Amino acid sequence: MADAKVIPFDDDRSRARRRPGRPDGEAAAVRALPGPQKGPEEPGEAREGVLPGDGGPEDGADVSSVGGAEGPAGTSGWERRLAGGLAFLRRRITGDYEVDEFGYDEELTDQVLMSLLRPLYEKYFRVEVKGVENIPADGGALIVANHSGTLPLDGLMMQVAVHDHHPAGRHLRLLAADLVFVLPVVNELARKAGHTLACAEDAERLLRAGEIVGVMPEGFKGIGKPFGERYKLQRFGRGGFVSTALRAGVPIVPCSIVGAEEIYPMIGNAKTLARVLGVPYFPLTPTFPWLGPLGALPLPTKWTIQFGEPIPTDSYAPEAAEDPMLMFNLTDQVREQIQHTLYKLLVERRSVFF
């Protein structure tokens, strides 16, 4: 298989299509959709390289609403999807697609990875999203969320929430633990989906490039905590995420996720087995490992993801990133806002499953 073209990360081509008001010629020069480009289309002419059944980001077409409807030239939806799918496969085989230097493959993410996660998001966990308008329409922002659920499904659901619900169609780049990037297959998928190592240097580069970056400061302490401590935030580290936001001058958006705590109720931790396997913990739940692979199926809880009011950082001087007291205060402010919203959402929800 041919190699994909690598886009320098500081090139803003990955955001060209969603910036309003850019002349057509300039947009094509900055970044064109992968695959051969054509001039203005005649009415009824199908565009090569467009999502199967999708009108493209320019015309705001809804992929899910196309279904089997007849196209403008009388072409059925399934025929358009088949043609688009074949064009997609051709580009993958020939290497006629682009990734940035972190390995992020926007086309693969939009057309494949999001499509695989969406049924879990919409049908299984039935995620309700609130406050997505608090995420800026352009420029960088750091989303800080609570972490839970034994397996990091909450980060993936947050990624779908931003991708599918933000009015500007923004993409979330998650900062992940080292363990993610040493696991076979998982490593490649994480890179393709736009995730990168949870280090200050990578985070700052992403933010300065105008990306939306997601971080879960609780880390393994949050995701691997016992069921009896659900929705009680763990320590937020040393406030490194605040320092990164201050240096980049981007707002911090607190995010509270309810529903993930109950998908794998962790009633025990086999520490010896965890050490043997080289993992932070080995969860024991009411179903795992007692029911084997079936026990790894998450419970179908009802989720709510709420994005809070952004906390601006651009008013601080550059040297503020080195002020430990300021970092402590901002870290505490973010943590308290997330915890308060968690309690509020828990009071409002009718049931764990409905």
Side-chain angles (χ1 to χ4, degrees), residues 53-100:
D54 188 5
E58 306 91 342
D59 56 17
D62 183 2
V63 178
S64 62
S65 65
V66 176
E70 294 293 323
T75 305
S76 63
W78 72 266
E79 290 175 319
R80 293 200 308 277
R81 292 177 186 230
L82 177 61
L86 291 174
F88 172 79
L89 288 175
R90 177 184 56 77
R91 290 193 298 274
R92 308 315 291 187
I93 293 172
T94 61
D96 191 13
Y97 62 95
E98 299 172 325
V99 298
D100 69 20

Side-chain angles (χ1 to χ4, degrees), residues 139-200:
L142 182 66
I143 297 178
V144 182
N146 60 303
H147 206 12
S148 62
T150 304
L151 291 180
L153 296 179
D154 49 359
L156 298 177
M157 296 301 102
M158 186 168 64
Q159 185 181 15
V160 179
V162 175
H163 181 276
D164 286 4
H165 293 277
H166 195 278
R170 305 211 63 181
H171 294 77
L172 178 65
R173 310 288 293 269
L174 289 169
L175 303 179
D178 299 15
L179 180 61
V180 171
F181 299 103
V182 299
L183 296 174
V185 181
V186 174
N187 169 35
E188 289 297 322
L189 289 176
R191 290 290 184 188
K192 293 288 187 182
H195 311 324
T196 190
L197 195 65
C199 66

Side-chain angles (χ1 to χ4, degrees), residues 207-219:
L207 291 170
R208 289 188 183 279
E211 297 288 342
I212 299 294
V213 177
V215 62
M216 294 171 161
E218 293 176 282

